[in-house]
Amino acid sequence: MCADSSFVPPLIYAFMGSSRDIAIGPVAVVSLLLGTLVQNEHDPVKNADEYRRLVFTATFFAGITQATLGVLRLGFLIDFLSHAAVIGFMGGAAITIGLQQLKGFLGIKHFTKKSDIVSVMKSVFGSMHHGWNWETIVIATSFLALLLFAKYLAKKNKKLFWVPAIAPLISVILSTFFVYITHAEKEGVAIVKHIEQGINPPSVNEIYFSGENVLKGFRIGIVAGMIALTVSPFQGFKNRSRCNRKNLCFNEDYHVDGNKEMIALGTMNVVGSMTSCYVATGSFSRSAVNYMAGCQTVVSNIVMSCVVFLTLKFLTPLFEYTPNAILSSIIISAVIGLIDYEAAILIWKIDKFDFVACMGAFLGVVFASVEIGLLIAVSISFAKILLQVTRPRTAILGRIPMTSVYRNIQQYQEATKVPGVLIVRVDSAIYFSNSNYIKESILRWLTAEEAHVKATYQTRLQYLIIEMSPVTDIDTSGIHAFEELYRSLFKRDVKLVLANPGRLVLDKLYASGFLDLIGDNKIFLTVADAVFTCSPKILQEV
């Protein structure tokens, strides 16, 4: 299935995709996710047929999900899974993939089916004295060192970008030749053995369209399809900062249509599910090699597809003696690049809550399962959104000396408060979800300021000016909160003044009758105009 996924999907994408740089094929993270979710339903050894059919079913629904998002222009839903959560999820998935390869790397025959690090480590060390094969370890370690050295050379010298690109192929050829001439398989070195020539037959009849497996395939397909879109390079085009950190911003002189990309990816997976393929998407590393090799059109996908076809058709007998250890080494060297610790450090410096999302997803995948890690990533991402929506920021403004400019006094130490006036800026739209919080925040600012004024024998507060330029919208609950704020201020003998409300907000305040309550003369174009009316002596210094 893996080889077929590098044959059919690239052909479909070449005719439907909008990117000239993206290379299509199986991706480690998606492969792990799909394999783990399907394995939870059917054992790949005991129920091989059901396992394979559920993979095709999940791939079909993954394609339907992706194409539907593109047709309905709902690609923004993917953005709800934050970049920090994706970094953590992919790092955890890389660790999990690498741990799973220890079976082939060490030559262990009996290995746990669980993916968490605790179970894997128990299985590894539990078989140390009777399950490890030293010949396998020598082969795997030697070629892993070769692969890592090839990457090191390319990193030091950009002109040698082709070295890590061909290193896996050279490793396979050399290791296969070595096993063949030494007959290392007789010493316990596991090999690939016989591989069927040609591409797999059509699989339309193997997709579940009825029964309980339809729901299982649908559920798995949605998750796999969304993750496939998340890790696809076209998301990197949409997020240039991520792309630049990986040096993968290819041709910036043309536009990548996200919705068209989703339709293309969805279509190729639907067709792929009917031709014995599983979920395919774009790969950052494969796409980078494409670009650095000078590929400038989608023909690169067609060429790759043709090469894979010829390999499947004529060359598969040559890989009979390929050791499983070399495949494990190639996968381990590939997933190491998915652990983006530099991005994690940057996330820690920028936003601690983002770092919690990153580490939550990472630890969930490593110590529990891919599903748990994904659930944690999504949950923390939504929690952050809800927290930002329900707990918006408010700030006290002060006047910059010798100007009519008002700024946050916590950001500008030279900004000074206006005697008898408290100026508060609301940095969010005001909805039912945050209206009471905003009202309480303003009242807390007011109470604190009144206590300070009283303690320092300053001019009593007479006006509360709310800077509303950041307030893009307000709903009924927000207006009710303002009415309650007005009544609270009335009891304190403090007048409410609004500065620079937007047109939409102003129309709603008029329609609700709130402006009749406070008076039209309490609306001003700028904070400076409001201050001049409330405390005209302050502008004599300007």
Side-chain angles (χ1 to χ4, degrees):
M1 285 190 292
C2 181
D4 282 357
S5 297
S6 296
F7 167 56
V8 177
L11 285 179
I12 303 298
Y13 181 85
F15 292 98
M16 297 189 66
S18 61
S19 171
R20 301 197 293 262
D21 300 296
I22 296 176
I24 299 298
V27 175
V29 174
V30 180
S31 301
L32 169 72
L33 176 66
L34 185 64
T36 302
L37 293 177
V38 175
Q39 185 173 307
N40 291 339
E41 304 295 338
H42 296 295
D43 189 290
V45 177
K46 297 180 180 179
N47 302 312
D49 291 339
E50 288 82 358
Y51 179 88
R52 185 178 64 254
R53 293 187 65 184
L54 189 57
V55 168
F56 295 147
T57 304
T59 301
F60 175 80
F61 284 111
I64 293 295
T65 300
Q66 294 169 334
T68 301
L69 290 175
V71 171
L72 300 180
R73 297 185 174 273
L74 298 176
F76 66 89
L77 293 176
I78 302 172
D79 297 330
F80 280 93
L81 188 61
S82 69
H83 173 57
V86 172
I87 290 293
F89 175 79
M90 292 183 66
I95 296 290
T96 303
I97 294 170
L99 292 175
Q100 292 293 318
Q101 299 310 310
L102 291 178
K103 176 182 178 181
F105 194 90
L106 302 174
I108 301 173
K109 295 182 179 179
H110 302 289
F111 200 71
T112 181
K113 295 180 181 179
K114 297 181 180 180
S115 61
D116 63 281
I117 189 172
V118 176
S119 299
V120 171
M121 288 295 99
K122 285 182 179 179
S123 181
V124 168
F125 291 107
S127 59
M128 178 185 297
H129 299 294
H130 59 275
W132 292 17
N133 181 275
W134 71 267
E135 292 92 345
T136 300
I137 296 174
V138 169
I139 294 173
T141 304
S142 301
F143 284 100
L144 177 60
L146 174 64
L147 293 168
L148 295 178
F149 181 69
K151 287 188 175 183
Y152 175 79
L153 286 179
K155 188 175 181 180
K156 288 296 183 181
N157 189 345
K158 297 298 182 182
K159 293 182 179 180
L160 298 177
F161 70 91
W162 52 271
V163 174
I166 67 170
L169 177 61
I170 293 176
S171 299
V172 169
I173 294 173
L174 291 178
S175 62
T176 302
F177 180 72
F178 174 78
V179 171
Y180 177 75
I181 63 174
T182 62
H183 291 287
E185 75 278 3
K186 296 180 180 179
E187 302 298 327
V189 176
I191 59 175
V192 174
K193 297 182 180 179
H194 178 68
I195 304 176
E196 293 290 341
Q197 283 186 266
I199 61 175
N200 290 331
S203 55
V204 179
N205 296 331
E206 296 195 47
I207 299 176
Y208 287 111
F209 290 108
S210 61
E212 62 177 8
N213 283 312
V214 174
L215 294 178
K216 294 178 182 178
F218 179 73
R219 174 176 56 83
I220 297 172
I222 290 178
V223 175
M226 294 289 280
I227 293 299
L229 289 178
T230 302
V231 302
S232 179
F234 94 84
Q235 285 295 321
F237 284 111
K238 291 167 63 178
N239 187 346
R240 290 292 179 182
S241 61
R242 175 186 177 190
C243 207
N244 286 328
R245 281 198 298 274
K246 292 180 175 290
N247 296 320
L248 293 180
C249 278
F250 311 127
N251 299 319
E252 298 193 39
D253 58 344
Y254 72 97
H255 174 66
V256 176
D257 187 335
N259 292 303
K260 186 176 180 180
E261 286 294 295
M262 285 184 282
I263 294 173
L265 293 175
T267 303
M268 76 182 193
N269 279 316
V270 169
V271 176
S273 68
M274 300 177 182
T275 53
S276 298
C277 304
Y278 71 90
V279 180
T281 187
S283 166
F284 268 113
S285 57
R286 194 182 296 117
S287 301
V289 171
N290 239 18
Y291 171 70
M292 298 181 74
C295 300
Q296 299 182 4
T297 69
V298 293
V299 174
S300 61
N301 277 292
I302 298 176
V303 172
M304 177 182 67
S305 181
C306 292
V307 171
V308 170
F309 173 76
L310 293 175
T311 301
L312 292 172
K313 193 69 176 176
F314 304 108
L315 302 181
T316 50
L318 300 178
F319 299 105
E320 179 178 348
Y321 286 92
T322 300
N324 291 337
I326 189 61
L327 303 180
S328 296
S329 297
I330 292 173
I331 294 174
I332 290 174
S333 67
V335 298
I336 288 176
L338 294 177
I339 306 174
D340 197 347
Y341 65 90
E342 293 180 350
I345 294 173
L346 183 62
I347 290 169
W348 167 260
K349 294 178 179 178
I350 297 175
D351 192 320
K352 300 300 186 291
F353 198 100
D354 263 357
F355 184 76
V356 171
C358 178
M359 294 308 299
F362 175 81
L363 296 175
V365 173
V366 171
F367 286 97
S369 65
V370 174
E371 306 98 296
I372 296 299
L374 183 60
L375 179 61
I376 292 175
V378 173
S379 298
I380 295 179
S381 297
F382 271 98
K384 182 180 180 181
I385 294 172
L386 291 175
L387 186 62
Q388 291 176 337
V389 170
T390 59
R391 294 294 183 268
R393 295 179 180 178
T394 56
I396 299 294
L397 304 186
R399 187 176 68 89
I400 303 297
M402 308 305 296
T403 72
S404 59
V405 177
Y406 292 81
R407 293 291 183 266
N408 186 346
I409 61 174
Q410 294 181 342
Q411 180 179 358
Y412 296 87
Q413 300 299 323
E414 68 275 19
T416 57
K417 298 176 182 177
V418 179
V421 178
L422 179 65
I423 309 170
V424 180
R425 187 184 67 211
V426 179
D427 293 333
S428 169
I430 305 175
Y431 295 124
F432 67 93
S433 58
N434 60 24
S435 57
N436 283 329
Y437 177 81
I438 292 174
K439 181 194 69 176
E440 296 298 331
S441 296
I442 294 174
L443 289 176
R444 281 195 295 269
W445 284 120
L446 184 66
T447 301
E449 187 64 21
E450 284 180 333
H452 176 72
V453 167
K454 185 176 181 181
T456 55
Y457 302 100
Q458 297 181 19
T459 304
R460 183 185 69 84
L461 285 179
Q462 303 175 50
Y463 293 93
L464 171 66
I465 300 175
I466 300 181
E467 158 68 300
M468 298 188 66
S469 56
V471 181
T472 56
D473 197 5
I474 189 170
D475 66 0
T476 306
S477 297
I479 295 173
H480 287 327
F482 265 47
E483 291 172 348
E484 293 175 7
L485 175 63
Y486 171 79
R487 285 190 285 268
S488 297
L489 295 176
F490 183 78
K491 294 177 182 178
R492 301 186 186 203
D493 194 23
V494 176
K495 296 179 177 60
L496 178 61
V497 177
L498 305 181
N500 195 25
R503 175 62 183 272
L504 179 62
V505 174
L506 198 58
D507 289 344
K508 291 186 177 182
L509 293 177
Y510 268 119
S512 67
F514 179 74
L515 295 185
D516 296 332
L517 184 65
I518 68 171
D520 288 346
N521 59 343
K522 296 298 190 299
I523 307 293
F524 295 92
L525 181 62
T526 65
V527 173
D529 292 339
V531 171
F532 178 76
T533 301
C534 300
S535 183
K537 292 189 294 181
I538 194 66
L539 293 185
Q540 293 176 2
E541 305 174 18
V542 182

